[in-house]
């Protein structure tokens, strides 16, 4: 895309599997575009300088701070936000585990944390607690003290592993 | 390791007291929360950005807005002049001629103080226009240190007061003088408690509207209460209470007290809306939040104890100097008095003397912050108890035990008036010692010490007050002043339950929760009383002062929910049940007492009669004619509840400052890394007696959250100020909030001694660890460091560098070529950065030298230079935009080339000021010829930065200045070599709006 600083540009990308489009000045941050242009307010903004992690989304499958990316940079790519996690009826296993383990209080940090955990579990299916804590250290949560979050992630990893094993066993019979 | 041991009786099968997953969670986990910035705004809503003072203390000479008004999208600018026309200063909690307006009118008194509001069509445009508001200041000396400010008669924050100490009160209870005179031993300790805040992840959001027809304001804000402040806002806006409709959103991104401090902006944005005749929305950014939102009060305490050889304390004397910052913002000086009734902590100490002074300094005004007043008091008291033990060569825990309020003394009236409602402190300690594994911890310490490692154990006991008496705030006044002002006391909570025609139950509470799960607990209580499923109940926690039941104590503070609000809910539910039971009894011709409610049905125990809840309740709407005569029909009940024990302060200045007093016993083991000075928490044990627990999972959640914040306060977090009052903790990279790797898992223990004073026996629990943990860790660090360290030097946060200093280790020199340039405190308190570097340029030194002297080149190579104007030989005036982190500033700068030694060396210097602060710098440039006729350009520079820009902290400043100065020379190289500058897309974009994004 050829970008001019003083013009609004059409930005189009896949948001949670559907093509969405809106207009953005080149300087508009991706988080603002998601929230205020596309109405995807599940993603939150806590610092706008890349430290708190609240704004984390997946861009082409990678956890990305949407406050450090411009909307125009997302053009033509694929963006996933917290709204993509649940099915129509039920929340996914990670979300359910968060509820079970009281991994959120105010919930403001939660969207970003869920997206990081979601990506992490895809990469590291069987993490140690230290690995989980290390991954989470890119996020700030002021309410929970992190305990519930760590437990939730470890439990989901364990449950998914077990389900995988069962599936493999079933195949090998 | 099992980290929670519950010592409670698990027999009851009632819903109250059950672990219950939260009804709040699903919406939040799906991204469907409704936080303030997510809500729809009226069509035509404009957006605000705030011009803030870059100076800590200055006289406001002129605010020129014309240039800003001419910029694209700008619709208006609100200034102090407008504010003076339409509003009044905020009411202040002490009788002094000091004025606090929502925008500065005569002086600015802290870095970040709002001076004007730009209102534009979007947030980016509003922020663009900030630089165009030109403010002239006459800079005054700044006061940062509270003790220095207290003694200063030359520099005054509020001239009319004539003193920076704006309140000075003495109290005595019992006979402290005699106790000190006759004591075997006495001890004195002076400690300082720093500034920090529990910093929610969501910042402030306000949407203001003005109704010219009614002359009223309608404001949505993520305000958390107390709603006593509604009166402060309405008065400032010069409207009756019913002309300020204040609404809060359904969800809040955390508060911890901090969102009380949004209230001045409620007034500001209401006025901004009036100014432009349209709704105005403002979303605070993180820099604004850290530097200007709110802070815990920093305190200097000198505490003295009189005690005997066994460590039994007979008297205490507190001298507390509280630094409330630049203004005494309501409800301050509440921090000072929230703990007043229970200043003697968990101890039975009969004699007490107190002196409280409130001092003004050039810092952000202080306000509510989780723990409010507690961490400051316990830091002094519990450090002192440890000192007494050391002095007498006793075990600190033994000294604690000897002084506890005895179990048979409850309810116990403390010296200063607190009525400790219930407890068994000695038993709590026994349980904590046993179940938390103190013996093992001691063995670990001994083993570590044998190996020469630095390991220490710290203790703390505390009472955790909850449900504040609104009357405690008046302790800042003399009894005489209080008499004149009329009595203030109590704490009214409200709850409303309505049942709709289909039998659906809706509950409204005015507790403005900030993530604690009030909706869940309310649903539990109502479900229990009405015998219906939790899922059948909807709890609404939005508060609309125009429609809902509320009172001055409404809101979310002083851990009042479990004790008071849940109690009011219980009362309202009982009212509904009583009415329904009367209806059923009349229909079935049975005694009202025989009617039962369970599993969605209303029935008699003998099984003779039964109806579904919704049918019976629906009858109040559908068939009021069939009801007994006493029934008016419809079904909606509001309950108000205020505890009788919360009386006004008496003439002897005794005050029961809170209704409930939980008990906390904490201890921890820490190990200090002797090389890095890092404090590692080996184990932390925390025992809580918060009365009856309404939902143990939520209780543990509160304990963990408070603990994590307290670890931050103990080890990492501090709002730091330069000597000139510049703020140095403006990003989350400088203000360090602990992450998942810094927060260990605490061992949480519970016991339950129900409160006799609350309807459900519950007490507050949300703030305890904010009070107990910082000092517990400090005591452990002191223990690890041993007696070589001055006890008064143990100051929070105990960062590695501070601990190293305590250990007597000097900072080693940075290995050559490693790390970043140090940002030292420069003279005047700004940040000073120095570095050197070099570039190679494919041209001769002569060519390079000449091009630097060429104005066109100079303009082209200075990044962000809009215009360069020759003002004398080799001196220029430049208009330059510079971005550092998320700050962008437009500088009016002088640039000078001097010490010319063609073609070998010269000096390039510049100095400029902007709305964001000032910068001053010089680079020495040396040119030498290298092979191929090329030039090697060596430069070293020194830059001093002050004002608001300095608040982004040394880390960012250093890399930004390195980048900007590097750019000057790489551009020079490109220009001289004739290479076309072809930057990648992103860099071109970034170049257009400064480095860090469009927002400042
Ligand atoms: S908002 Fe993006 S990291 Fe904080
Ligand atoms: S749940 Fe509130 S910040 Fe994490």
């Amino acid at each position: 895309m050829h970008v001019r600083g003083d013009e609004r540009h059409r930005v189009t990308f896949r948001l949670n599997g559907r093509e969405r489009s809106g207009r953005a000045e080149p300087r508009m941050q991706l988080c603002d575009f998601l929230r205020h242009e596309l109405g995807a307010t599940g993603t939150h903004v806590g610092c706008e300088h890349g430290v708190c992690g609240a704004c984390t989304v997946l861009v082409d499958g990678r956890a990305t701070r949407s406050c450090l990316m411009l909307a125009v940079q997302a053009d033509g790519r694929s963006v996933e936000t917290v709204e993509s996690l649940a099915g129509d009826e039920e929340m996914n296993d990670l979300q359910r585990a968060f509820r079970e383990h009281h991994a959120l209080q105010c919930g403001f940090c939660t969207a970003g944390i869920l997206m990081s955990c979601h990506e992490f579990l895809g990469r590291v299916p069987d993490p140690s607690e230290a690995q989980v804590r290390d991954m989470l250290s890119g996020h700030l949560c002021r309410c929970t003290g992190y305990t519930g979050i760590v437990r939730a992630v470890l439990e989901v990893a364990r449950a998914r592993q077990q389900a995988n094993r069962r599936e493999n066993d079933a195949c090998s019979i | 390791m099992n980290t929670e041991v519950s010592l409670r009786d698990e027999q009851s099968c009632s819903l109250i007291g059950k672990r219950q997953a939260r009804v709040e969670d699903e919406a939040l986990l799906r991204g469907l929360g409704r936080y303030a910035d997510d809500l729809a705004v009226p069509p035509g809503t404009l957006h605000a950005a705030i011009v803030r003072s870059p100076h800590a203390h200055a006289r406001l000479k002129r605010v020129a807005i014309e240039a800003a008004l001419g910029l694209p999208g700008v619709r208006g600018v609100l200034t102090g002049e407008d504010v003076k026309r339409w509003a009044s200063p905020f009411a202040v909690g002490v009788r002094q001629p000091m004025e606090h307006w929502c925008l500065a009118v005569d002086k600015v008194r802290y870095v970040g103080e709002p001076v004007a509001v730009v209102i534009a069509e979007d947030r980016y445009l509003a922020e663009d226009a900030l630089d165009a508001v030109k403010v002239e200041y006459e800079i005054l000396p700044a006061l940062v240190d509270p003790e220095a400010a207290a003694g200063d008669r030359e520099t005054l924050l509020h001239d009319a007061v004539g003193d920076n100490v704006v309140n000075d009160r003495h109290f005595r209870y019992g006979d402290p003088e005699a106790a000190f005179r006759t004591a075997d031993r006495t001890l004195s300790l002076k400690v300082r408690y720093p500034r920090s805040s529990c910093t929610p992840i969501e910042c402030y959001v306000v949407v203001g509207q003005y109704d010219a027809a009614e002359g009223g304001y309608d404001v949505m804000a993520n305000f958390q209460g107390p709603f006593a402040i509604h009166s402060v806002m309405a008065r400032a806006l010069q409207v009756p209470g019913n002309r300020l409709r204040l609404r809060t959103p359904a969800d809040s991104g955390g508060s911890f007290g901090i969102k009380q401090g949004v209230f001045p902006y409620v007034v500001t944005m209401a006025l901004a809306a009036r100014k432009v005749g349209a709704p105005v929305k403002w979303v605070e950014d993180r820099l604004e939040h850290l530097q200007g939102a709110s802070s815990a009060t920093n305190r200097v305490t000198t505490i003295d104890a009189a005690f005997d050889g066994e460590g039994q304390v007979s008297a205490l004397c507190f001298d507390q100097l509280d630094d409330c910052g630049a203004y005494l913002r309501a409800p301050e000086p509440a921090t000072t008095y929230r703990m007043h009734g229970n200043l003697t902590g968990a101890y039975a100490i009969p004699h007490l003397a107190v002196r409280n002074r409130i001092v003004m300094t050039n810092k952000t005004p202080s306000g509510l912050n989780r723990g409010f007043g507690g961490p400051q008091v316990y830091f002094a008291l519990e450090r002192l108890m440890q000192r007494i033990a050391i002095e007498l060569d006793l075990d600190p825990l033994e000294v604690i035990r000897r002084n506890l309020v005895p179990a048979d003394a409850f309810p116990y009236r403390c010296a200063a008036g607190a009525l400790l409602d219930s407890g068994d402190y000695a038993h709590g300690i026994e349980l904590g010692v046993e179940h938390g594994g103190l013996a093992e911890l001691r063995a670990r310490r001994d083993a570590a010490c044998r190996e020469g490692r630095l390991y220490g154990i710290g203790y703390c006991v505390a009472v955790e007050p909850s449900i504040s008496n609104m009357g405690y705030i008046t302790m800042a006044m003399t009894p005489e002043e209080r008499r004149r002002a009329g009595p203030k006391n109590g704490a009214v909570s409200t709850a409303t339950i309505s049942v709709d025609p289909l039998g659906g139950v809706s509950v409204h509470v005015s507790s403005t929760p900030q993530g604690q799960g009030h909706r869940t607990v309310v649903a539990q209580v109502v479900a229990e009383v009405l015998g219906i499923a939790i899922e059948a109940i909807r709890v609404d926690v939005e508060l609309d002062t125009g429609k809902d039941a509320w009172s001055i104590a409404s809101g979310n503070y002083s851990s009042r929910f479990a004790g008071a609000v849940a109690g009011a809910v219980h009362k309202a539910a009982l009212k509904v049940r009583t009415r329904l039971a009367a209806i059923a009894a009349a229909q079935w011709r049975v005694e009202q007492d025989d009617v039962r409610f369970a599993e969605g049905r209303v029935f008699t125990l003998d099984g003779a009669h039964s109806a579904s809840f919704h049918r019976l309740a629906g009858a109040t709407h559908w068939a009021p004619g069939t009801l007994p005569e006493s029934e008016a029909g419809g079904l909606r009940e509001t309950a108000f509840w205020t505890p009788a024990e919360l009386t006004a302060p008496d003439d002897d200045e005794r005050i029961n400052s809170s209704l409930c007093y939980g008990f906390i016993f904490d201890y921890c083991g820490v190990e200090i890394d002797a090389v890095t000075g890092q404090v590692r928490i080996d184990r932390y044990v925390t025992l809580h007696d918060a009365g009856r627990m309404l939902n143990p999972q939520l209780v543990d959640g509160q304990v963990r959250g408070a603990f994590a914040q307290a670890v931050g306060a103990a080890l990492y977090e501090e709002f730091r100020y330069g000597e000139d009052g510049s703020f140095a903790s403006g990003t989350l990279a400088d203000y360090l909030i602990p992450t998942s790797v810094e927060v260990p898992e605490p061992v949480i223990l519970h016991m339950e001694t129900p409160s006799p004073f609350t309807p459900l026996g519950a007490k507050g629990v949300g703030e305890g660890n904010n009070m107990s943990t910082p000092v517990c860790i400090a005591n452990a660090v002191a223990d690890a460091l041993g007696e070589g360290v001055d006890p008064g030097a143990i100051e929070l946060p105990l960062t590695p560098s501070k601990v190293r200093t305590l250990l007597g280790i000097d900072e080693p020199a940075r290995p050559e070529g490693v790390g970043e340039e140090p940002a030292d405190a420069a003279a005047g308190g700004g940040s000073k950065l120095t570095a050197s570097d070099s570039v190679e340029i494919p041209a001769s030194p002569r060519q390079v030298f000449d091009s630097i002297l060429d104005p066109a080149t100079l303009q082209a190579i200075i990044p962000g230079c809009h215009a360069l104007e020759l003002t004398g030989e080799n001196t220029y005036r430049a208009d330059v935009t510079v971005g550092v982190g998320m700050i962008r500033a437009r500088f009016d700068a002088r640039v000078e080339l001097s010490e010319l030694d063609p073609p070998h060396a010269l000096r390039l210097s510049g100095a400029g000021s902007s709305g964001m602060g000032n910068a001053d710098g010089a680079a020495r440039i040396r040119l030498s010829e290298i092979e191929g006729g090329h030039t090697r350009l060596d430069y070293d520079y020194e830059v001093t930065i002050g004002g608001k820009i300095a608040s982004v902290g040394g880390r960012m400043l250093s890399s930004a200045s390195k980048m900007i100065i590097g750019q000057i020379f790489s551009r020079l190289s490109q220009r001289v070599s004739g290479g076309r500058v072809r930057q990648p897309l992103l860099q071109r974009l970034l170049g257009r709006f400064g480095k860090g994004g469009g927002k400042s």
Side-chain angles (χ1 to χ4, degrees):
Chain A
M1 183 181 351
H2 180 76
V3 182
R4 283 180 51 101
D6 49 359
E7 276 176 14
R8 276 156 67 86
H9 296 269
R10 180 151 291 281
V11 174
T12 306
F13 53 73
R14 288 191 84 70
L15 174 63
N16 302 330
R18 287 175 60 180
E19 189 170 295
R20 295 290 304 273
S21 173
R23 292 171 69 79
E25 275 182 48
R27 63 178 177 174
M28 183 178 253
Q29 293 161 324
L30 178 58
C31 55
D32 283 352
F33 184 75
L34 283 169
R35 292 175 46 78
H36 300 304
E37 286 293 314
L38 302 184
T41 53
T43 300
H44 298 144
V45 175
C47 71
E48 298 174 271
H49 54 256
V51 182
C52 76
C55 65
T56 305
V57 300
L58 303 193
V59 177
D60 290 341
R62 292 197 53 127
T64 304
R65 299 219 191 290
S66 62
C67 72
L68 293 186
M69 188 166 171
L70 301 171
V72 290
Q73 291 176 289
D75 189 58
R77 302 169 77 170
S78 156
V79 178
E80 283 164 74
T81 64
V82 66
E83 287 94 343
S84 70
L85 294 178
D88 278 348
E89 292 289 309
E90 239 205 317
M91 297 194 290
N92 78 2
D93 52 352
L94 188 62
Q95 291 167 307
R96 291 197 308 271
F98 266 56
R99 180 172 59 192
E100 207 46 48
H101 289 279
H102 194 23
L104 66 155
Q105 288 185 26
C106 78
F108 201 76
C109 66
T110 310
I113 291 184
L114 281 171
M115 295 318 282
S116 278
C117 295
H118 176 56
E119 188 227 30
F120 172 76
L121 286 171
R123 272 188 294 120
V124 189
D126 190 13
S128 65
E129 176 171 338
Q131 282 174 303
V132 172
R133 285 193 176 264
D134 186 53
M135 173 269 300
L136 281 176
S137 69
H139 291 269
L140 298 177
C141 173
R142 234 3 189 168
C143 299
T144 63
Y146 306 103
T147 305
I149 305 172
V150 173
R151 288 184 188 168
V153 175
L154 287 172
E155 185 199 88
V156 169
R158 227 179 356 255
R160 288 187 188 175
Q161 288 286 93
Q162 262 166 21
N164 266 345
R165 262 198 298 279
R166 269 200 301 279
E167 223 166 82
N168 289 344
D169 290 352
C171 290
S172 59
I173 289 172
Chain B
M1 181 170 67
N2 178 12
T3 54
E4 292 147 50
V5 182
S6 188
L7 305 166
R8 57 198 294 268
D9 161 25
E10 289 276 8
Q11 298 314 311
S12 117
C13 56
S14 103
L15 284 171
I16 302 173
K18 233 185 70 176
R19 242 168 220 278
Q20 163 73 41
R22 305 196 318 162
V23 303
E24 288 86 351
D25 287 354
E26 179 147 357
L28 303 182
L29 286 162
R30 284 177 177 266
L32 301 176
R34 287 175 300 133
Y35 301 89
D37 190 28
D38 302 341
L39 303 181
V41 292
T45 296
L46 301 175
H47 298 263
I50 299 176
V51 177
R52 291 174 183 272
S53 167
H55 305 294
H57 197 189
R59 219 169 283 289
L60 207 52
K61 306 294 275 186
R62 206 167 86 90
V63 181
I65 61 172
E66 298 71 29
L69 289 173
L71 289 179
V74 173
R75 295 273 293 273
V77 178
L78 182 80
T79 66
E81 289 304 311
D82 302 310
V83 168
K84 276 204 275 194
R85 190 161 67 242
W86 291 328
S88 312
F90 297 114
V92 176
V94 299
R95 282 170 195 275
Q96 291 287 6
M98 49 201 285
E99 290 188 350
H100 178 201
W101 297 80
C102 67
L103 291 180
V105 298
D106 56 343
K107 288 214 288 190
V108 289
R109 295 179 173 88
Y110 63 95
V111 170
E113 178 168 356
V115 173
V117 182
V118 177
I119 305 141
E121 276 154 17
D122 72 32
R123 188 178 171 196
Y124 289 76
L125 292 172
E127 294 187 1
D128 283 346
L130 289 178
D131 287 343
V133 176
K134 292 288 173 215
V135 186
E136 269 176 49
Y137 298 98
E138 177 194 325
I139 297 181
L140 302 168
L143 293 172
V144 177
D145 178 64
E147 289 176 287
D152 202 319
R153 294 283 180 284
E154 295 280 293
T155 303
L156 293 175
L157 269 88
H158 299 272
D159 301 283
V161 179
D163 200 327
N164 292 314
V165 174
V166 297
N167 192 248
D168 187 350
R169 294 230 53 214
H170 294 259
F171 304 87
R172 59 186 292 283
Y173 304 96
D175 192 351
E177 298 82 3
F180 273 94
R181 223 173 22 245
T182 57
D184 297 345
R185 313 280 288 254
T186 62
L187 191 72
S188 183
L189 179 68
K190 181 172 175 182
V191 295
R192 286 181 181 75
Y193 200 87
R195 282 197 158 219
S196 58
S197 124
C198 292
T199 47
I201 303 297
E202 177 195 47
C203 294
Y204 294 164
V205 180
V206 181
V207 182
Q209 295 186 66
Y210 176 63
D211 178 345
E214 273 212 341
Y217 299 94
D218 182 339
V219 185
M220 189 283 299
N222 48 6
F223 177 64
Q224 65 137 45
F227 279 76
I229 306 287
H230 181 272
S231 308
V232 175
M233 293 183 263
R235 287 216 184 121
L237 285 167
Q238 300 178 349
V239 291
N242 61 6
R243 295 292 192 282
L244 170 59
R245 180 178 180 189
L246 181 61
R247 292 184 279 170
T248 63
D251 293 305
S252 161
S255 172
F256 324 112
I258 297 301
K259 282 183 180 147
Q260 169 263 334
V262 73
F263 86 80
Y265 298 103
V266 168
V267 172
T268 312
M269 295 306 148
L271 297 173
R274 180 168 181 174
K275 173 91 186 190
V276 292
V280 173
K281 176 173 180 177
W282 171 66
V283 179
E284 181 189 49
D285 73 22
R286 182 55 61 181
L287 170 65
E288 292 183 284
H289 187 82
L290 288 169
Q291 71 172 3
S294 198
S295 165
T297 307
N298 54 303
R299 177 177 294 175
V300 183
T301 307
T302 305
I303 183 169
D304 290 82
F307 52 100
D308 65 16
E310 307 295 303
Q312 179 93 42
V313 180
S314 58
L316 288 175
C317 174
F318 283 86
D319 181 335
Q320 308 187 109
L321 178 65
D322 274 12
D323 174 358
C324 289
Y327 297 96
L328 206 53
R329 189 175 59 184
E332 291 287 50
T335 310
T336 319
Y337 290 98
R338 194 256 180 123
M339 306 294 288
H340 192 82
N342 53 285
L343 270 177
T344 40
Y347 308 120
I349 299 174
H351 307 288
L352 175 68
V354 185
R355 181 188 191 192
N356 288 333
R357 282 173 299 159
I358 311 296
V359 66
M360 300 283 102
T361 63
N362 295 109
K363 301 209 228 16
T364 300
S366 59
L368 300 191
N369 188 49
R370 194 175 187 177
F372 200 47
Q376 293 91 335
V377 163
Y378 289 119
F379 192 79
L381 180 57
E382 294 298 298
R383 289 282 301 119
L384 179 79
M385 294 306 276
Q386 187 194 45
R387 294 307 308 163
I388 293 175
I390 291 169
E391 191 83 356
L392 298 174
D393 203 16
L394 291 170
D395 174 14
L397 193 54
E398 203 37 53
V399 173
I400 288 173
R401 278 199 185 99
R402 285 179 192 169
N403 287 288
L404 293 173
V405 173
D408 57 11
F410 291 96
Y412 173 83
R413 182 72 69 180
C414 300
L419 183 63
L420 303 182
D421 51 338
S422 64
D424 185 344
Y425 299 170
H427 184 53
I429 289 192
E430 291 332 306
L431 291 174
V433 165
E434 188 186 327
H435 294 274
L438 179 61
E440 186 200 333
L441 208 59
R442 283 181 168 148
R444 286 157 86 99
R445 174 181 60 184
D446 296 345
C449 292
R450 273 196 304 277
E451 290 167 27
R453 290 183 285 136
L454 299 171
Y455 193 107
I457 292 179
Y459 303 91
C460 171
V461 294
V463 298
E464 175 183 359
S466 54
I467 311 174
S468 284
N469 183 346
M470 297 308 276
Y472 82 72
I473 298 167
T474 60
M475 294 298 288
M477 297 192 241
T478 62
E480 178 51 34
E481 287 168 335
R482 280 200 297 271
R483 263 193 298 278
R484 264 186 278 133
K488 299 228 172 19
N489 68 300
V492 180
S493 33
T494 60
T496 301
I497 301 182
S498 43
V499 187
D500 64 43
L502 294 177
V505 175
S506 303
V507 190
H508 178 270
V509 286
S510 54
S511 65
T512 52
Q514 312 288 320
Q516 300 98 324
H518 291 183
R519 289 173 58 203
T520 302
V521 179
V522 167
Q524 281 176 281
V525 172
V526 175
E528 163 109 359
V529 176
L530 298 182
I532 54 177
I534 286 184
E535 297 71 36
I537 298 165
R538 215 185 152 272
V539 184
D540 175 13
V541 292
E542 291 170 46
L543 182 56
D544 178 341
T545 60
K547 290 181 169 172
D548 297 320
W550 62 280
S551 177
I552 59 158
S554 295
N556 183 342
Y557 59 95
S558 80
S559 305
R560 57 192 301 280
F561 174 75
V565 178
V569 170
H570 193 249
K571 272 191 71 177
L574 286 176
K575 280 174 138 185
V576 168
R577 189 171 80 180
T578 306
R579 279 181 61 187
L580 288 173
I583 293 169
Q587 276 181 6
W588 299 335
R589 298 183 200 291
V590 298
E591 287 299 311
Q592 207 171 312
D593 286 351
D594 294 334
V595 180
R596 293 286 181 278
F597 293 73
E599 292 176 9
R601 300 200 69 78
V602 186
F603 53 93
T604 53
L605 263 187
D606 58 12
H609 305 281
S610 171
S612 66
F613 177 86
H614 62 84
R615 200 174 173 94
L616 186 73
T620 62
H621 295 282
W622 297 108
T626 65
L627 304 181
E629 265 188 18
S630 57
E631 259 301 326
L635 193 47
R636 179 185 179 100
E637 289 293 343
T638 295
F640 291 87
W641 182 72
T642 189
E645 291 76 13
L646 294 186
T647 50
D650 65 17
D651 284 349
D652 294 329
E653 308 243 40
R654 259 174 261 270
I655 172 75
N656 186 20
S657 34
S658 300
L659 178 65
C660 299
Y661 300 86
F663 174 70
I664 301 169
F665 169 45
D666 283 6
Y667 58 93
C668 68
V670 305
E671 179 162 0
I672 294 171
D673 185 318
V675 178
T676 64
Q678 194 185 359
V679 176
R680 182 182 66 83
I681 301 170
D682 184 30
R683 180 188 293 180
Y684 198 98
V685 179
T686 182
L687 173 128
H688 289 255
D689 181 353
R692 183 178 181 203
M693 289 193 284
L694 302 185
N695 182 331
Q697 186 176 37
L698 300 193
V699 169
D700 285 350
Q702 287 302 304
V703 170
R704 290 208 175 88
F707 172 71
Q709 290 175 337
V711 168
L715 299 178
Y716 308 103
E717 297 174 29
E718 184 177 11
F719 289 144
R720 284 183 302 107
Y721 286 85
E723 273 168 42
D724 63 348
S726 58
F727 181 73
S729 312
T731 75
L732 292 178
D734 300 282
Y735 186 80
L736 296 178
I737 294 173
T739 73
S740 49
V741 292
E742 284 90 28
V743 183
E745 192 61 58
V747 179
I748 302 172
L749 307 170
H750 298 292
M751 61 186 270
E752 294 187 69
T753 316
S755 170
F757 300 150
T758 61
L760 298 172
K763 310 184 188 189
V765 68
E767 302 179 82
N769 287 91
N770 295 78
M771 303 182 185
S772 58
T773 299
V775 64
C776 186
I777 292 175
N779 277 343
V781 168
D783 186 42
L785 292 175
E787 276 308 277
V789 170
D790 166 21
I794 307 274
E795 277 182 38
L796 304 182
L798 289 157
T799 58
S801 80
K802 208 178 279 174
V803 173
R804 286 173 53 89
T805 310
L806 294 172
L807 281 167
I809 309 174
D810 291 333
E811 283 293 322
R814 186 163 45 87
E816 205 150 321
V818 173
E820 58 191 40
E821 299 69 34
D824 301 332
S831 279
K832 184 176 187 166
L833 309 155
T834 54
S836 52
D837 208 342
S838 66
V839 285
E840 275 183 33
I841 303 178
S844 70
R846 168 58 67 185
Q847 278 173 294
V848 174
F849 193 90
D850 290 347
S851 11
I852 299 178
L853 256 44
D854 164 38
T857 305
L858 198 57
Q859 172 165 359
I861 66 174
I862 298 176
C865 182
H866 309 284
L868 191 78
E869 175 197 326
L870 195 66
T871 53
E873 200 189 344
N874 289 327
T875 59
Y876 303 90
R877 239 187 106 154
D879 175 8
V880 186
T881 296
V882 179
V884 180
M886 67 288 179
I887 293 188
R888 193 183 52 135
R890 195 155 179 163
F891 282 86
D892 181 11
R894 277 180 298 101
V895 178
E896 191 181 354
L897 298 167
S898 58
E899 298 172 23
L900 306 181
D901 174 14
H904 309 293
L906 76 164
R907 186 166 185 273
L908 170 63
S909 58
S913 63
S914 76
M916 296 283 172
N918 45 290
D920 215 312
R924 301 198 47 76
I925 301 167
R926 290 175 309 281
L927 305 172
S928 41
E929 183 153 351
I930 50 174
E931 59 184 82
H934 292 184
T935 303
R936 182 186 150 98
L937 185 156
D938 289 288
Y939 61 94
D940 40 59
Y941 65 85
E942 192 178 290
V943 182
T944 308
I945 294 161
K948 189 169 157 186
I949 298 193
S951 64
V952 305
R955 206 184 297 241
M956 271 205 200
L957 280 181
S958 156
S959 55
S961 56
K962 188 173 189 156
M963 192 183 91
I964 293 165
I965 289 163
Q967 269 177 15
I968 296 182
F969 297 107
S970 62
R971 285 176 180 215
L972 174 68
S973 164
Q974 278 160 342
R975 192 165 167 103
V976 175
S977 64
R980 282 238 331 122
V981 188
R982 187 71 215 157
Q983 290 171 306
L985 168 72
L986 176 60
Q987 224 162 336
R988 267 183 291 144
L989 286 173
L990 292 174
R992 282 184 209 280
F993 55 86
K995 173 180 159 265
K999 300 179 183 176
S1000 61

